[in-house]
Amino acid sequence: MFDIQEQIKKLPDCPGVYLHKDKLGNIIYVGKAVSLKNRIRQYFQSSRNMDPKVRSMVSQIAEFEYIRAGSEMEALILECNLIKKHRPRYNILLRDDKTYPYIKITNEPWPRVVKTRRVRKDGGRYFGPYSDAGAVNRIVELLNSSFSLKRCSAQTFSSGFRPCLNYHIHQCPGICTGQVDPDEYAKAMEGAAEFLNGRSRKLQTALKEKMKAAAEAMNYEEAAAYRDDLQAADALAQTQRVVMHHSEEADIVIPMRTEEDVYVAVFTVREGRLVGRESYEMDTAAAVDVDAADGPVAGAGALLSAFLNQHYSRLPDVPREILLPVRPADGALVEEFLSAHAGHSVSLRCPRRGEKRALVEMAGRDVAEMVRTIDDRAKAARDRRENLGREICQVLEAMGAEGSFAGSREPQAGRAGCGGWQFRAEAYDISNTNGVDTVGAMVAFDGLKADKQGYRKFRVRSVAGQDDYGAMREVLSRRFTRVFEGDDAFAVLPDIIFMDGGKGHVSMALEVIEATGFDIPVVGMVKDDRHRTRALIYRKKDSGEYEEIPLTDKPLLYSYIGRMQEEVHRFAISYHRKVRGKRVQSSVLDEIPGIGPARRSALLEEFRSVERIRQIARSEDGRKILAKALHMNARAAESVVNYFQGENPV
């Protein structure tokens, strides 16, 4: 198990980001620290002066992990990214609708450099994120003025188009005049891209010279402006750690083996700065045919050879130098292959001394720490699976259903749970609005992990009005009927089913399942007066009586069930909202004579909502406005107006 006090002793005294996790391994809080050791230790000291929210969070921390950072600013950016990715429960109150800015080179005939806070798959080139929005603004302005780039968003210019003020003050080359050479403009844009990629020395040198010249000419305001530009460039570069004194481009490739898998870590160095680190999982069969003395991982040479060929052959930009701890036996052939692919010389080097050797050793230490982190995380996950499997098995044994697993009839070696069993669970929920647009949802969990490929949605057809029992009966019947119909999407059966309800829901579910001939245990999740699950209820096989299993002494199972309830409820509500939205948006227009699918789509595209169409139809010029929409004519517009004007006021 994870020993918090023992792990605190091992914490480094450096900037970084920490992630607190609960007993199920869910990330509940992400924070940054100037000193990981001091910050994390504070959580586990006296709680007397803690905020109630912090005290509540600390009570749920079962383990933590951390990621080193080169500076507080780098930790800040990493914290932002992790919060957006994991959405931790205790970070919610700290979030708003803002995010860190990026700098974007647009994918346009005449590209622009702009600031944006949203990353889209639009072909643009994105750089960032950056924590200093003010620095980003100055850098965008600096690049636009230094490289004389286009600033306006217009892409086409009619004859007689008059250039804007930026052209007249020499802040824009004047694309609109038709006198700009596309090749020259492309070169200027590449200069801006080089700066954003970390190769900023040329521009910074030019700014320093201009600042010095302005100061010597006693143009102090101009010199101050250049100084501010330099400070913005420095702030932009603080997200990158300096690792080499010379201006070099290289990748450092280090193999690593955890207890379960083999990875290759790639450290990217550009302009003397470490700008990225990625890890790639490898098939372990690639590293079993070379002697263990070959390097830090058994078969490292063969592993690196396979990785270098496969990884860099799919990249458009290959560095001229790749630093390795071990040179592959076929290193010369790999160099020849990568050089031909890249269009320039690529060398594989295993430095034995000097700065580059120190750099490889630094990367190796980082990789060793990554391995320890991965192994600790994997061990904690195994412990959680085993403990949860044991609690599930205890529930099944109490029900008299031990061994009668539906989804995995045969026990398998190495699987979690008592007796080597790995369980699959399903949960169901119904969602509607006052009995309208009723839908059902099914979620599946393989042990601790949600199997989102196994989620299923149902439109309830046979039940009218508010009838949760009837709706659930239809959902379960359809789910198991599909098995007999040979539908592969429903072929995997659960080992246990959790129903969000008490005795009535369990009885109904068992009735449906027994009618199909399956033998699948069903438990209900009974709630207290505060709508929190307090116990599980089941029907004993031998007596047919219903009994409860309190959850007060089963914290892991309690958390697991709570997570399952939240997930099935979320899935059901999201599907219900989608169904209800489609009905609201389309059914009203479908009832209007003369309005088919094409006109309905055109009206919604033009006016965005049914409510807006209704407002226009009731206005004085409604007929004229509606008739101008795509596919519409005067007769169709008249039909829409007559329909909405004949409605009762809303």
Side-chain angles (χ1 to χ4, degrees):
M1 297 295 292
F2 190 91
D3 189 334
I4 289 180
Q5 295 302 327
E6 188 65 28
Q7 293 300 321
I8 287 176
K9 297 176 183 177
K10 303 177 182 178
L11 288 169
D13 186 13
C14 68
V17 174
Y18 55 92
L19 300 88
H20 289 319
K21 297 183 176 182
D22 63 14
K23 294 177 181 178
L24 287 176
N26 300 317
I27 296 173
I28 60 176
Y29 185 75
V30 174
K32 67 173 178 65
V34 177
S35 169
L36 287 167
K37 186 172 187 176
N38 295 338
R39 185 70 186 96
I40 295 177
R41 185 168 51 192
Q42 289 176 356
Y43 285 101
F44 304 100
Q45 295 174 347
S46 174
S47 61
R48 184 178 305 168
N49 298 322
M50 281 186 181
D51 179 89
K53 173 189 164 185
V54 177
R55 193 180 302 120
S56 173
M57 179 191 72
V58 171
S59 68
Q60 299 181 47
I61 299 175
E63 62 178 282
F64 60 80
E65 63 178 86
Y66 62 89
I67 303 172
R68 291 172 182 260
S71 65
E72 187 178 7
M73 182 173 292
E74 184 181 342
L76 184 67
I77 292 173
L78 182 57
E79 177 196 37
C80 173
N81 291 337
L82 290 173
I83 289 174
K84 289 189 290 185
K85 177 180 179 181
H86 297 291
R87 300 174 62 84
R89 183 193 321 166
Y90 287 97
N91 284 96
I92 291 176
L93 296 178
L94 301 178
R95 278 185 265 149
D96 55 22
D97 60 350
K98 296 179 181 178
T99 185
Y100 289 114
Y102 292 77
I103 295 178
K104 173 184 177 182
I105 296 180
T106 62
N107 181 27
E108 297 171 336
W110 298 94
R112 295 171 294 135
V113 174
V114 298
K115 182 181 84 170
T116 182
R117 292 184 182 270
R118 301 184 65 180
V119 178
R120 297 184 175 92
K121 293 183 179 180
D122 55 5
R125 298 164 66 183
Y126 291 86
F127 303 86
Y130 304 109
S131 61
D132 191 336
V136 169
N137 291 333
R138 290 200 62 85
I139 288 299
V140 169
E141 179 63 28
L142 171 64
L143 294 177
N144 281 327
S145 59
S146 298
F147 294 98
S148 191
L149 302 177
K150 178 175 173 289
R151 298 167 183 255
C152 67
S153 59
Q155 291 298 309
T156 58
F157 308 97
S158 58
S159 60
F161 190 92
R162 298 179 62 184
C164 65
L165 180 61
N166 285 320
Y167 171 75
H168 294 292
I169 62 174
H170 308 293
Q171 292 296 307
C172 175
I175 307 297
C176 54
T177 65
Q179 299 176 5
V180 178
D181 183 358
D183 292 336
E184 290 298 322
Y185 187 83
K187 289 180 181 178
M189 184 56 69
E190 280 306 309
E194 282 192 3
F195 176 88
L196 295 172
N197 272 318
R199 296 183 283 271
S200 58
R201 189 163 299 175
K202 183 187 296 185
L203 183 57
Q204 287 178 306
T205 300
L207 287 173
K208 289 178 182 177
E209 291 176 353
K210 291 180 180 179
M211 179 179 68
K212 183 178 179 180
E216 290 175 350
M218 293 188 289
N219 295 327
Y220 298 117
E221 291 185 1
E222 184 179 352
Y226 288 129
R227 178 205 60 200
D228 293 342
D229 288 341
L230 273 170
Q231 289 176 348
D234 290 339
L236 205 68
Q238 282 187 34
T239 61
Q240 303 161 335
R241 287 175 279 180
V242 176
V243 294
M244 289 197 293
H245 298 297
H246 304 294
S247 176
E248 296 193 28
E249 293 185 7
D251 279 1
I252 310 162
V253 181
I254 307 287
M256 61 181 184
R257 179 185 292 278
T258 68
E259 291 182 359
E260 298 180 354
D261 297 295
V262 171
Y263 298 84
V264 172
V266 178
F267 297 77
T268 305
V269 178
R270 297 293 181 269
E271 192 69 20
R273 295 182 177 90
L274 181 64
V275 298
R277 183 192 73 182
E278 295 289 343
S279 61
Y280 302 88
E281 186 175 354
M282 300 292 290
D283 185 347
T284 54
V288 297
D289 57 345
V290 181
D291 187 77
D294 191 33
V297 173
L303 177 70
L304 287 172
S305 177
F307 174 79
L308 294 171
N309 288 332
Q310 297 173 36
H311 176 68
Y312 288 103
S313 63
R314 63 185 182 183
L315 297 182
D317 184 20
V318 181
R320 294 183 178 274
E321 189 174 43
I322 300 175
L323 305 181
L324 307 169
V326 175
R327 183 178 175 87
D330 58 348
L333 184 61
V334 174
E335 285 179 332
E336 183 179 352
F337 170 74
L338 294 181
S339 298
H341 169 71
H344 58 73
S345 175
V346 176
S347 62
L348 307 181
R349 296 193 178 182
C350 304
R352 300 304 178 192
R353 62 181 65 86
E355 185 180 65
K356 292 179 181 178
R357 177 62 183 176
L359 186 60
V360 173
E361 290 177 347
M362 181 213 72
R365 289 192 296 271
D366 200 14
V367 163
E369 188 166 329
M370 287 174 62
V371 170
R372 286 194 296 271
T373 300
I374 292 172
D375 284 340
D376 289 345
R377 193 160 57 232
K379 182 179 183 301
R382 287 197 302 272
D383 290 343
R384 287 194 300 271
R385 287 196 301 268
E386 289 291 340
N387 292 334
L388 180 59
R390 191 173 298 109
E391 291 188 359
I392 291 288
C393 286
Q394 290 172 357
V395 172
L396 293 170
E397 289 169 359
M399 298 171 64
E402 65 273 15
S404 60
F405 294 89
S408 48
R409 297 290 183 182
E410 298 295 334
Q412 298 181 15
R415 304 187 79 173
C418 58
W421 288 100
Q422 163 71 26
F423 65 91
R424 180 180 177 86
E426 287 181 1
Y428 296 82
D429 196 15
I430 300 295
S431 182
N432 59 60
T433 303
N434 297 324
V436 179
D437 299 323
T438 302
V439 301
M442 177 190 102
V443 300
F445 278 66
D446 279 329
L448 285 170
K449 188 176 180 181
D451 176 19
K452 296 199 174 182
Q453 297 297 319
Y455 286 18
R456 298 292 179 263
K457 299 177 288 190
F458 304 84
R459 282 290 300 269
V460 176
R461 306 187 186 99
S462 64
V463 176
Q466 191 78 35
D467 184 0
D468 282 358
Y469 282 106
M472 187 63 74
R473 185 184 300 275
E474 178 188 330
V475 168
L476 289 171
S477 298
R478 287 167 56 188
R479 186 261 181 269
F480 291 106
T481 299
R482 299 286 282 275
V483 177
F484 294 106
E485 294 174 351
D487 190 338
D488 291 340
F490 292 86
V492 181
L493 295 175
D495 298 316
I496 186 170
I497 290 177
F498 290 92
M499 301 297 297
D500 194 6
K503 178 179 176 181
H505 284 83
V506 173
S507 178
M508 178 272 301
L510 286 172
E511 182 182 336
V512 173
I513 294 170
E514 289 168 358
T516 64
F518 292 120
D519 182 15
I520 302 175
V522 178
V523 294
M525 297 176 281
V526 184
K527 294 183 174 60
D528 58 18
D529 295 337
R530 297 184 178 181
H531 206 67
R532 295 181 302 186
T533 302
R534 61 173 179 80
L536 300 177
I537 188 169
Y538 65 95
R539 190 176 72 187
K540 299 201 72 170
K541 271 194 169 185
D542 52 358
S543 64
E545 296 180 352
Y546 286 86
E547 292 190 7
E548 291 188 1
I549 300 177
L551 295 175
T552 52
D553 60 342
K554 293 180 170 55
L556 191 61
L557 184 57
Y558 175 83
S559 299
Y560 177 74
I561 288 171
R563 179 185 170 200
M564 186 181 294
Q565 285 177 309
E566 290 178 1
E567 182 66 0
V568 71
H569 189 58
R570 177 202 64 78
F571 191 52
I573 286 180
S574 63
Y575 181 45
H576 170 66
R577 286 173 177 167
K578 182 178 179 180
V579 171
R580 182 183 62 189
K582 285 184 177 179
R583 179 182 60 81
V584 171
Q585 289 291 321
S586 63
S587 63
V588 172
L589 298 179
D590 288 340
E591 295 174 4
I592 302 176
I595 303 299
R599 284 176 174 164
R600 178 192 65 201
S601 299
L603 286 171
L604 290 173
E605 178 70 23
E606 178 77 19
F607 302 110
R608 300 298 179 186
S609 70
V610 173
E611 181 57 34
R612 178 60 181 156
I613 297 171
R614 179 184 284 109
Q615 294 173 358
I616 292 172
R618 291 177 175 176
S619 68
E620 185 175 345
D621 297 326
R623 290 173 176 80
K624 293 181 180 179
I625 297 173
L626 293 171
K628 292 180 181 179
L630 184 65
H631 299 310
M632 292 292 289
N633 54 33
R635 185 174 179 180
E638 182 72 22
S639 183
V640 174
V641 169
N642 291 340
Y643 178 86
F644 283 116
Q645 288 188 352
E647 277 188 336
N648 293 325
V650 293

